[in-house]
Amino acid sequence: MSKKLLSLLLLVLVAYLPVLAQTTVKLSGKVINTRNEAVPGATVIIPGTQRKTAADVEGRFSFLLEVGKKYTIQVSSAGYSSKSLEDVEVKAGDDNTVTVVLETKSELGEVVVRTSVKKETTSALINLQRNNTAVSSGIAADLIKRTPDRTTGEVLKRVSGASIQDNKFVIVRGLSDRYNAAFINNAQLPSSEPDRKAFSFDVIPANMIDNIIINKTATPELTGEFAGGLIQVQTKDVPSRNFLSIGAQLGFNTNSAFKDFTSNPRSSTDWLGWDNGNRKLPAGFPATRVEYAGLTTDQQVEKSKLFNDQVYQQQTVTALPIQQYNISYGSAKSLKNDAKLGFIASVVYRNAQLRYDVSRQFNQADGTPIFNFLDNQNRYQTNIGALVNLTYSQKNNKISFKNIFNRFFDDNFFERNGFNTNRNQDINFYSSFLNQRSFYSGQLEGDHQLNWKRIKFRWNAGYSLVTRTQPDLRTQQYVKSSTANEFEIDPDDTRRFFSDLKDHTLTASGAFTVPFELFKQKHNLKFGGSSIVRFRDFNSRIFRYIETPPIESFDKDLASLPFDKIFLTDNIRRGGFVLDEFTNSQDKYYGISAINSGFLLFDNKLSDDIRLVWGARLEFFEQYLNTELDAKEVNLNTETWDFLPSLNLTWSLNTRNNLRFAAFQTVARPEFREIAPFAFFDYEANYGVSGNPDLKRTKILNLDLRYEMYPAAGETFSIGAFYKSFTDPIEFRLDPGSNADRRLYFYQNAGSANTYGAELEIRKNMGFLSKGSQFWKNVTAFGNLTYLFSDVSFPDEVSGQPVNSNRPIQGQSPYLINAGIQYSSEKYLNATILYNRIGPRLALVGNTEFPDIYERPRHLLDFQLSKRILDKKGELKLTFSDILNNPIYLYENVGGSKEFNGNDRMFSSYRPGSTISVGFTYDFDLKK
């Protein structure tokens, strides 16, 4: 099927190659002030021509300019110094956009600032961080394009103070994903996972992103439900030009490409990201456990025969290279009365067959090995993403309809072999672990500049749907004792599991911004409110094959049949096997939550140099969960009010230096899964997960101090420190009742915790190394370093003794490092080298008997080389990801020091492999 897609893309390419070069190209721009606010109505003219326009409600403007000519563009607005952009030249095939930053007019009167487009555009990349109301870090589309990252999750690890767990869960300032919040296009995102409070950022393709900003301090207009960071993802909006872009990429993983790849049979639609129904519970099977249990043995046998008996077959193919195809289209039309209509659509398809070997080891508390296993993993992944955004603007009004959809299909087939010393058994284990995840988010939003008092009104209404299904998650375990001659099936760990989760979220928000003057300074008053309502429905069923009663009539020869023959329909009979359903009453739950909030914010200029953003947010939280426990109905009801004040003070020492201070109160509330008593054993990870209905919300006091310097356009240096005090933090820890080879993790409130940290970030053009050298002018070095320390007070409710007191908060690393060098030349090529490393991270919290599990640091080095060809319409890209291929290594920390040493014991380890990718993209400039 992938060959058909490639043929279609090549056909489109050939069809459009004859398109003639354009003589005029659109230049698009945006006018903002030093507060990152749009300047609607700003006058934009091109001297010496009749071209003149006014910026719309978002500060946007555009002109059609002739290729090969140089222009001067003048921008002015009442109350601001005028700016003149000189030597403006548009080029076919380039992204001809510019952001113009107007500064408040000084007391000396009119000042005309003269600059070039290149400097102004580069400066705008950092302007958002420089003038944001909150302490923040971010990454823009231009740098994202120069990384090998394919998902938002991978991109986020490039941001200062952020790291990624499992390639999808973000950790900010050492705080696990449950202490972070996520927004897309100004709408808050729900948790996408059934087993944790987190959003999986791997569902958003990187090439759909315009920018990512992580707010590290709170302001009243945004949710107060975070402590580490508030991640704001903006997808691409109105295009600067009409375009059609298609691309294809092949990736060669050193572990996988052209090697044997084993799995159970694929369905005909797996390559599209959907099971075709073969894995669903069969039609005609009883809808509930009670209904199935009420059948006679013979009736249960007949119902068991309805299940597909071919799913245990194995097939081995040659792993193909990783394939990715993308197509994007955008258009912008001018309508009557200065109205504009913008449209952008994008589709991304990716398919990968990845294989790697995982070593696993469990130990007794004294270090005696329980088992040593080797997993041969074969992971089949399909990802389809689509984005459709439509925007209408007319002078002082803008309305947008933004949609993003992603489907992620992940089927991990693995074979496990090893010896269990506890049971004195050799183990052969087979599993097909399938996850199907879908994510849709749609928002209708508006921006309006009112004529009365220049008041701005912004509103947003949204809906999102997160689904996750696990159809027929299968396990088969064969065991052989030291006295046995052959392997026999172990019924207890031979299971078929089906689950379905749907999470609906409705959001609505509105805010007014009222400008006013006081003591000859400009101020803003902002007020508004929002509502978020969520509905989650989760249900699951679990089965195992047992001997058909009476047991003494069982045909014992069946127990030693091979994996692909043992559960054939002929063996489902009297004297053979029958399905036993042991679904528990707590294996389903239904939850509703609502957050209704209001806020009041003052943005005050206390002087020309001091800006104070302060106010408060009031949130009313309601949460209801219905489930069963021990055959009794359980209803959990929570209602809480939270008053969340915040203060952000910025002292501009001069035009290039800022000093920031922030203090704010936030909360972290339990997720549905964390309070649901549902227990699930993850055979891949080898431990179980259970919820805790007694969880309380966490309250967090936050303090921040940061110094920022902006020595030149596109350059930055910042250093800061922060402190966070937690009351009742929620952590994921090992249950005291766990035994050595059957561990259960659950959620529990600690008593208190404190986190201290420092951050350093730098971005510097290397032109100073050789004055006049064009090469060094094209080189930029950047990096960031975060150092962290925390302590946790965790009294154990069973023993009364402190558990791992003064240890880090779960998910925290003592340091995070990002570094990179980028060479960018329109004439030659673009090259980027990126480095990432995190310190030893506390992955799983132990108990008094079993030690904590840490993730060992690894060096991650990526390289990318790209070159524009075919009159800059095409781009060739060579990417080398994870060059060093260090192992992902988890260990039991028994040595005392958090750094790995000779006394520590392996928990799991594997090498993901390095990946070399070759890609080609072609952009068609479409005429208006």
Side-chain angles (χ1 to χ4, degrees):
M1 292 297 183
S2 300
K3 292 181 179 178
K4 292 182 179 179
L5 282 174
L6 181 59
S7 299
L8 179 61
L9 290 172
L10 291 174
L11 181 63
V12 174
L13 175 61
V14 172
Y16 275 91
L17 280 176
V19 175
L20 297 176
Q22 293 175 249
T23 57
T24 60
V25 172
K26 180 187 290 185
L27 173 76
S28 297
K30 184 175 181 179
V31 185
I32 61 174
N33 60 22
T34 54
R35 291 186 176 186
N36 289 325
E37 300 166 337
V39 183
T43 301
V44 186
I45 64 173
I46 300 179
T49 71
Q50 300 298 316
R51 296 169 183 171
K52 177 180 180 181
T53 189
D56 64 15
V57 66
E58 279 198 310
R60 298 184 184 275
F61 66 91
S62 63
F63 288 110
L64 279 176
L65 303 179
E66 292 183 34
V67 175
K69 287 188 176 182
K70 293 185 177 181
Y71 298 86
T72 296
I73 298 179
Q74 293 180 354
V75 184
S76 61
S77 184
Y80 297 96
S81 296
S82 298
K83 179 163 283 189
S84 180
L85 306 183
E86 299 178 339
D87 296 330
V88 177
E89 183 178 3
V90 295
K91 298 179 181 179
D94 280 5
D95 186 16
N96 297 290
T97 60
V98 60
T99 300
V100 184
V101 184
L102 294 185
E103 298 181 0
T104 304
K105 189 179 296 184
S106 68
E107 294 181 359
L108 298 176
E110 180 72 8
V111 176
V112 177
V113 180
R114 300 188 181 279
T115 184
S116 68
V117 170
K118 183 175 180 180
K119 288 184 178 180
E120 189 66 16
T121 303
T122 306
S123 166
L125 295 177
I126 296 187
N127 189 70
L128 183 62
Q129 177 177 322
R130 176 183 180 181
N131 299 301
N132 199 7
T133 56
V135 173
S136 62
S137 299
I139 187 168
D142 69 324
L143 182 56
I144 294 172
K145 190 176 181 181
R146 301 304 171 197
T147 72
D149 304 328
R150 62 177 183 83
T151 72
T152 306
E154 294 171 347
V155 169
L156 280 165
K157 68 176 177 282
R158 313 293 180 188
V159 181
S160 177
S163 63
I164 290 296
Q165 192 173 37
D166 300 331
N167 279 329
K168 56 186 176 181
F169 302 120
V170 65
I171 293 176
V172 181
R173 286 181 161 179
L175 297 176
S176 64
D177 41 37
R178 72 164 334 280
Y179 290 109
N180 302 308
F183 277 67
I184 185 168
N185 297 327
N186 305 309
Q188 188 167 353
L189 291 168
S191 170
S192 61
E193 297 301 295
D195 292 330
R196 60 200 297 175
K197 184 178 182 180
F199 182 79
S200 298
F201 284 96
D202 61 340
V203 303
I204 305 178
N207 65 353
M208 295 184 180
I209 302 167
D210 186 58
N211 64 73
I212 301 174
I213 298 295
I214 299 182
N215 278 15
K216 298 176 181 178
T217 63
T219 53
E221 76 268 28
L222 296 173
T223 178
E225 197 172 8
F226 78 96
L230 191 151
I231 301 101
Q232 296 175 287
V233 180
Q234 291 290 333
T235 58
K236 294 183 177 179
D237 199 350
V238 181
S240 60
R241 57 190 173 90
N242 297 341
F243 71 91
L244 173 67
S245 176
I246 63 172
Q249 179 175 291
L250 293 178
F252 302 86
N253 182 272
T254 54
N255 285 350
S256 311
F258 307 120
K259 297 180 180 179
D260 287 346
F261 184 87
T262 304
S263 71
N264 291 144
R266 306 243 68 86
S267 81
S268 59
T269 55
D270 284 4
W271 71 278
L272 285 172
W274 274 268
D275 170 61
N276 66 357
N278 285 345
R279 299 181 178 93
K280 290 183 178 180
L281 276 168
F285 192 84
T288 66
R289 176 186 178 181
V290 174
E291 184 180 339
Y292 182 69
L295 301 178
T296 65
T297 299
D298 288 333
Q299 289 173 325
Q300 288 185 350
V301 168
E302 292 305 311
K303 295 299 183 183
S304 299
K305 289 182 178 180
L306 296 175
F307 281 73
N308 186 349
D309 67 346
Q310 298 299 307
V311 294
Y312 295 103
Q313 307 296 315
Q314 291 185 14
Q315 60 183 29
T316 299
V317 299
T318 299
L320 296 176
I322 301 168
Q323 303 169 65
Q324 179 169 312
Y325 308 101
N326 58 274
I327 182 168
S328 301
Y329 170 78
S331 68
K333 295 184 177 181
S334 298
L335 308 176
K336 294 180 179 179
N337 300 321
D338 294 325
K340 299 175 184 176
L341 183 66
F343 173 80
I344 188 168
S346 179
V347 177
V348 177
Y349 173 83
R350 182 179 186 271
N351 181 269
Q353 298 172 20
L354 303 174
R355 61 179 309 278
Y356 46 88
D357 297 332
V358 182
S359 298
R360 301 186 188 276
Q361 179 176 309
F362 267 27
N363 302 285
Q364 299 279 10
D366 62 1
T368 303
I370 298 172
F371 59 71
N372 287 282
F373 290 156
L374 179 65
D375 293 1
N376 304 120
Q377 305 219 4
N378 302 262
R379 192 175 291 273
Y380 182 93
Q381 295 179 329
T382 295
N383 181 214
I384 295 180
L387 176 144
V388 177
N389 289 347
L390 184 67
T391 299
Y392 172 83
S393 62
Q394 197 272 329
K395 293 184 178 178
N396 292 335
N397 300 281
K398 176 195 172 187
I399 296 177
S400 298
F401 183 40
K402 298 181 178 181
N403 303 268
I404 186 169
F405 171 80
N406 195 282
R407 178 73 174 184
F408 197 85
F409 181 99
D410 185 2
D411 184 12
N412 184 23
F413 176 84
F414 63 94
E415 180 179 353
R416 175 175 294 162
N417 300 282
F419 188 78
N420 189 319
T421 57
N422 254 17
R423 302 182 183 183
N424 193 30
Q425 293 175 331
D426 279 306
I427 303 293
N428 282 344
F429 183 87
Y430 310 90
S431 178
S432 177
F433 197 109
L434 172 61
N435 275 317
Q436 295 182 120
R437 290 181 287 146
S438 292
F439 164 66
Y440 167 75
S441 175
Q443 294 100 38
L444 185 65
E445 61 181 22
D447 286 283
H448 308 278
Q449 175 77 61
L450 307 182
N451 292 327
W452 185 69
K453 302 288 187 181
R454 306 300 295 167
I455 294 174
K456 295 180 182 178
F457 175 56
R458 186 170 194 174
W459 56 271
N460 181 293
Y463 168 75
S464 63
L465 172 65
V466 173
T467 68
R468 173 169 166 168
T469 59
Q470 291 181 299
D472 205 3
L473 189 163
R474 296 180 298 278
T475 61
Q476 280 180 295
Q477 179 159 290
Y478 284 83
V479 298
K480 185 179 76 169
S481 66
S482 58
T483 59
N485 294 322
E486 55 187 353
F487 283 91
E488 291 189 351
I489 197 73
D490 176 4
D492 187 51
D493 287 315
T494 299
R495 304 182 177 189
R496 300 181 80 160
F497 176 82
F498 301 80
S499 72
D500 184 63
L501 177 146
K502 291 184 175 65
D503 196 314
H504 305 265
T505 302
L506 298 170
T507 61
S509 64
F512 288 90
T513 303
V514 183
F516 64 96
E517 286 196 14
L518 185 66
F519 304 120
K520 297 183 179 180
Q521 294 288 347
K522 291 185 177 182
H523 308 264
N524 282 330
L525 165 66
K526 193 172 184 178
F527 62 91
S530 64
S531 291
I532 302 174
V533 181
R534 287 182 56 197
F535 305 88
R536 171 172 284 196
D537 188 14
F538 173 81
N539 62 81
S540 63
R541 299 181 73 177
I542 185 168
F543 305 86
R544 62 187 169 192
Y545 286 99
I546 62 172
E547 301 166 352
T548 308
I551 296 177
E552 57 270 15
S553 65
F554 178 72
D555 182 355
K556 297 187 181 302
D557 290 337
L558 296 179
S560 57
L561 287 175
F563 59 84
D564 57 344
K565 292 183 173 60
I566 189 168
F567 298 128
L568 293 176
T569 302
D570 290 344
N571 300 327
I572 309 300
R573 56 178 169 82
R574 286 281 189 173
F577 296 105
V578 67
L579 279 173
D580 171 46
E581 180 171 5
F582 60 108
T583 304
N584 296 309
S585 57
Q586 66 266 30
D587 290 348
K588 63 178 181 179
Y589 62 87
Y590 178 74
I592 304 175
S593 71
I595 303 177
N596 294 298
S597 58
F599 73 89
L600 184 66
L601 177 152
F602 288 95
D603 186 351
N604 299 129
K605 288 280 287 184
L606 303 184
S607 69
D608 289 339
D609 304 324
I610 299 177
R611 181 185 183 186
L612 177 65
V613 179
W614 61 284
R617 184 177 184 87
L618 185 64
E619 295 187 348
F620 177 57
F621 175 68
E622 301 172 274
Q623 187 179 55
Y624 168 79
L625 186 133
N626 173 265
T627 186
E628 293 183 12
L629 185 61
D630 298 328
K632 294 181 180 179
E633 186 174 11
V634 176
N635 292 291
L636 303 176
N637 285 284
T638 301
E639 292 185 359
T640 58
W641 287 91
D642 288 297
F643 178 71
L644 306 173
S646 63
L647 177 150
N648 285 266
L649 181 67
T650 304
W651 179 16
S652 297
L653 305 176
N654 51 46
T655 57
R656 295 184 177 182
N657 296 269
N658 284 343
L659 185 63
R660 293 179 180 268
F661 170 76
F664 54 101
Q665 180 76 45
T666 55
V667 295
R669 303 183 178 100
E671 179 57 54
F672 290 126
R673 176 61 183 98
E674 294 172 337
I675 62 174
F678 165 65
F680 173 74
F681 189 82
D682 187 334
Y683 278 94
E684 183 178 352
N686 259 327
Y687 58 74
V689 180
S690 180
N692 179 3
D694 298 323
L695 285 180
K696 297 177 288 186
R697 79 185 186 283
T698 305
K699 294 183 178 180
I700 310 107
L701 173 66
N702 308 265
L703 299 174
D704 255 85
L705 181 66
R706 182 156 87 167
Y707 166 71
E708 302 171 342
M709 180 171 64
Y710 301 91
E715 297 183 352
T716 181
F717 170 83
S718 68
I719 186 169
F722 59 88
Y723 165 74
K724 297 178 184 294
S725 175
F726 298 79
T727 303
D728 300 320
I730 298 173
E731 293 204 312
F732 187 60
R733 58 161 297 196
L734 186 63
D735 191 296
S738 296
N739 59 43
D741 61 351
R742 201 76 168 185
R743 303 186 184 187
L744 176 68
Y745 287 84
F746 77 120
Y747 303 92
Q748 188 180 48
N749 288 107
S752 62
N754 295 286
T755 294
Y756 315 82
E759 293 177 318
L760 173 69
E761 183 174 8
I762 187 169
R763 182 180 178 90
K764 176 67 177 176
N765 181 271
M766 307 305 289
F768 70 94
L769 294 177
S770 177
K771 299 293 185 180
S773 169
Q774 188 61 44
F775 172 82
W776 288 111
K777 284 184 179 179
N778 292 333
V779 176
T780 300
F782 49 90
N784 55 76
L785 168 67
T786 303
Y787 177 79
L788 300 156
F789 171 78
S790 69
D791 60 85
V792 183
S793 173
F794 208 134
D796 187 272
E797 296 180 1
V798 177
S799 65
Q801 300 299 314
V803 177
N804 289 331
S805 183
N806 299 319
R807 59 162 173 78
I809 291 177
Q810 183 224 342
Q812 181 177 320
S813 306
Y815 61 84
L816 301 93
I817 302 172
N818 283 297
I821 298 176
Q822 184 175 6
Y823 174 81
S824 182
S825 170
E826 293 183 7
K827 185 177 180 181
Y828 298 106
L829 48 79
N830 296 284
T832 306
I833 299 175
L834 298 169
Y835 173 79
N836 172 264
R837 178 182 170 92
I838 63 169
R841 175 163 56 194
L842 177 55
L844 296 169
V845 178
N847 58 23
T848 53
E849 185 176 5
F850 298 102
D852 298 331
I853 307 297
Y854 276 78
E855 181 179 350
R856 190 175 177 178
R858 66 190 299 261
H859 300 282
L860 182 63
L861 186 65
D862 301 317
F863 172 74
Q864 184 179 91
L865 191 68
S866 64
K867 170 68 175 174
R868 302 294 295 190
I869 60 175
L870 301 178
D871 197 23
K872 296 186 178 180
K873 296 180 183 294
E875 183 179 42
L876 280 173
K877 188 179 294 185
L878 174 67
T879 300
F880 202 161
S881 303
D882 203 352
I883 297 172
L884 304 177
N885 192 24
N886 287 167
I888 297 176
Y889 191 101
L890 274 67
Y891 59 93
E892 293 183 339
N893 180 20
V894 296
S897 171
K898 303 302 181 290
E899 292 284 353
F900 180 78
N901 58 50
N903 296 318
D904 295 326
R905 302 186 291 256
M906 183 190 74
F907 185 74
S908 67
S909 175
Y910 73 96
R911 293 181 185 270
S914 302
T915 301
I916 301 174
S917 301
V918 180
F920 174 72
T921 303
Y922 192 86
D923 298 328
F924 302 95
D925 280 325
L926 305 180
K927 295 183 178 180
K928 285 180 63 66

